[in-house]
Every structure is written in C-alpha cells, then in structure tokens.
C-alpha cells in the first residue's frame, strides 16, 4: 500500500480544475491536464474579479500541481491582458500560431520546467 501512495504522490492526477467563488457567484476558473506534457487551460476570470491577485493564486496552485514539468497553453492572440499575465508568470511566446477550432487565432506559449538544483 505504501508503494501506491508514493507513486500517486510522484504523478499528479491527470486533470486539474479550480473554481473561484465570490459568495455564491462563480467568478473564475483554471483547468489543465497532463498527458506527454502539462497543458494549462482554459483559464478565465470575470472582469470584476481581475486585478485582485486571484489569477496569481490560481496559477500558484497550478504550478504546484504540475510540478517540475514543461507547461504549454494557447491564448487568443488579441487577448493582450492575458498574454501579459502569462509572461509575468514565466511563460514565453513560442512564435507558433494556429486557428483554434478553425476560427480563433491562437498564440502558443510555454513555460519550461524549472532547472533542478544539484545538491551533491
């Protein structure tokens, strides 16, 4: 049994989702999943919930869940506020673009796995 717990703690659950509430109203969420790499998204906060640190708190929880893994995401290329948010949290623009669902111009971004520190 102890071996299973150790393995479960080494590999995160394949899906991540957090919801932000303000009293009874849902004001935002962040979801992601793990396959060959970690994919962040979707993430959304209502406009009146932005600018209060909620996005940063969601991102911090997501980074803990993702562990030392490369993270990728797609963001609407016209959503400059979201792009600035992701840049502040260590993501870089890859230069790749595609049409999400054949319609929405999407910019791809990645955050490389943190460098490991050799303590030997």
């Amino acid at each position: 049994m102890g071996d299973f717990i150790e393995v479960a703690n080494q590999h995160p659950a394949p899906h991540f989702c957090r919801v932000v509430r303000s009293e009874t109203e849902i004001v935002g969420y962040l979801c992601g999943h793990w396959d060959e790499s970690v994919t962040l998204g979707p993430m959304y906060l209502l406009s009146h919930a932005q600018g209060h640190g909620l996005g940063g708190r969601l991102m911090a929880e997501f980074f803990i869940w993702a562990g030392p893994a490369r993270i990728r995401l797609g963001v609407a290329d016209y959503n400059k506020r979201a792009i600035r948010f992701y840049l502040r949290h260590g993501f870089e623009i890859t230069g790749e673009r595609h049409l999400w669902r054949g319609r929405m111009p999407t910019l791809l971004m990645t955050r490389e796995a943190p460098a490991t520190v050799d303590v030997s």
Side-chain angles (χ1 to χ4, degrees), residues 3-73:
D3 291 339
F4 171 76
I5 292 171
E6 185 175 327
V7 170
N9 287 334
Q10 291 174 358
H11 304 287
H15 299 283
F16 174 96
C17 194
R18 297 292 184 273
V19 173
V20 180
R21 294 179 187 270
S22 175
E23 298 182 19
T24 59
E25 177 187 29
I26 293 175
V27 297
Y29 56 85
L30 188 156
C31 297
H33 66 275
W34 182 283
D35 44 36
E36 297 91 40
S37 63
V38 175
T39 301
L40 184 152
M43 179 177 186
Y44 184 77
L45 284 172
L46 293 176
S47 58
H48 69 273
Q50 295 176 13
H52 302 285
L54 297 173
R57 288 175 38 202
L58 283 171
M59 192 65 72
E61 282 194 43
F62 186 79
F63 289 157
I64 291 168
W65 171 82
R70 179 176 185 261
I71 302 171
R72 60 191 173 121
L73 64 85

